[in-house]
Amino acid sequence: MALSTCSVRVGTISIPSTRQRWSCLPTVGKTHSQKPPLFRVLADFSPPKARFVAKRTESTSVKQLQRPLVEYMSLPASQYSVLDAERIERVDENTFRCYVYRLKFFSFEVCPVLLVRVEEQPNGCCIRLLSCKLEGSPLVVAQNDKFSASMVNRVSCNVDLGNSSVQELATDTTIEVIIDIPFAFQAIPVQAIESTGTQVLEQLLKIMLPRFLAQLVKDYKAWASGDTSRQPLGTGQI
């Protein structure tokens, strides 16, 4: 490839001074009524949180064609292909919506929908996550206001290889997710939840990054051969 907390305040308990005397009998000569002590209960409650972090770097060799790879990697974002029309939509020149594959987390299936922005950089780009929305069961959808996520994916070609006929294309990605642990899972140790969540993210990167690079190489070959249509070549399959 953004947690709200629930709070209930617990306040003070007001207890009368030891010098005060309370009686169940009427008091002669008193013109005012005495009020019972006020008990106020205020509480602060913050659900436990779990943090998942996954990092992965992938690279692939690319044979240079009529037009150099570094020129392809220097294209403005407005000329980017969406690569896979089944999974990616262009929102504007620099912003894209990505539909990630369904993930299995414990007994639930989760389908993240990412909104990302592309920042042009020398010899490549940086893809940053703007927001993430979860789709799935009602319990999954209910977590949308209870987590935050960040992602940075740096894509580049190795300019140190000069005019070599074979170039290197690389991607370096970091994902971090912080969630409020739902009540139904709070009996599970936090470490177990974090371990499972991290494994899910690592597996996701292990599958998606090689596929992403393969799509880039395929798109580069189409562009280098003179195809300026920038039509997506992906089919939505893993």
Side-chain angles (χ1 to χ4, degrees):
M1 23 232 299
L3 291 177
S4 61
T5 59
C6 167
S7 65
V8 182
R9 299 181 53 210
V10 170
T12 58
I13 299 178
S14 177
I15 301 177
S17 168
T18 56
R19 290 178 298 175
Q20 291 179 301
R21 296 291 182 267
W22 298 90
S23 173
C24 296
L25 300 176
T27 303
V28 177
K30 291 216 174 175
T31 58
H32 63 278
S33 62
Q34 294 191 5
K35 297 181 180 180
L38 176 63
F39 292 86
R40 291 182 303 163
V41 179
L42 302 169
D44 284 325
F45 171 71
S46 179
K49 300 181 186 298
R51 178 173 176 262
F52 318 140
V53 180
K55 301 179 181 180
R56 190 174 183 87
T57 299
E58 290 279 350
S59 62
T60 188
S61 298
V62 182
K63 183 179 179 180
Q64 293 220 80
L65 302 175
Q66 297 93 325
R67 303 168 77 180
L69 179 63
V70 67
E71 185 178 332
Y72 169 78
M73 294 301 295
S74 299
L75 289 172
S78 60
Q79 295 184 32
Y80 285 8
S81 164
V82 298
L83 298 180
D84 190 337
E86 297 293 324
R87 295 283 177 183
I88 304 174
E89 299 173 355
R90 183 186 292 275
V91 177
D92 58 35
E93 287 190 352
N94 296 77
T95 309
F96 300 83
R97 183 173 289 107
C98 308
Y99 296 84
V100 182
Y101 306 100
R102 290 192 174 274
L103 311 175
K104 192 81 171 181
F105 186 74
F106 288 98
S107 59
F108 297 94
E109 281 193 345
V110 182
C111 182
V113 181
L114 313 180
L115 188 68
V116 301
R117 173 162 294 167
V118 177
E119 301 172 358
E120 300 163 19
Q121 296 185 344
N123 310 312
C125 67
C126 179
I127 304 171
R128 296 185 184 275
L129 179 65
L130 298 179
S131 66
C132 177
K133 177 183 177 183
L134 302 180
E135 294 183 350
S137 69
L139 179 60
V140 169
V141 173
Q143 306 313 306
N144 273 314
D145 59 347
K146 298 179 176 65
F147 81 99
S148 63
S150 63
M151 182 199 73
V152 177
N153 179 11
R154 290 184 169 85
V155 188
S156 61
C157 62
N158 189 349
V159 295
D160 294 335
L161 296 176
N163 295 322
S164 171
S165 61
V166 178
Q167 298 285 308
E168 183 182 70
L169 186 61
T171 174
D172 183 5
T173 305
T174 300
I175 301 178
E176 179 178 0
V177 178
I178 301 175
I179 67 167
D180 285 353
I181 300 176
F183 180 78
F185 291 89
Q186 290 181 14
I188 303 173
V190 174
Q191 288 183 339
I193 294 176
E194 291 183 332
S195 176
T196 300
T198 296
Q199 289 176 21
V200 170
L201 293 183
E202 289 174 344
Q203 185 65 19
L204 176 66
L205 293 182
K206 185 178 180 180
I207 293 173
M208 292 194 64
L209 293 188
R211 182 176 183 273
F212 172 62
L213 289 180
Q215 288 180 326
L216 280 180
V217 172
K218 189 175 182 180
D219 186 62
Y220 162 68
K221 291 179 178 179
W223 173 84
S225 65
D227 181 359
T228 59
S229 67
R230 316 305 294 125
Q231 292 297 312
L233 302 175
T235 61
Q237 302 299 314
I238 295 179

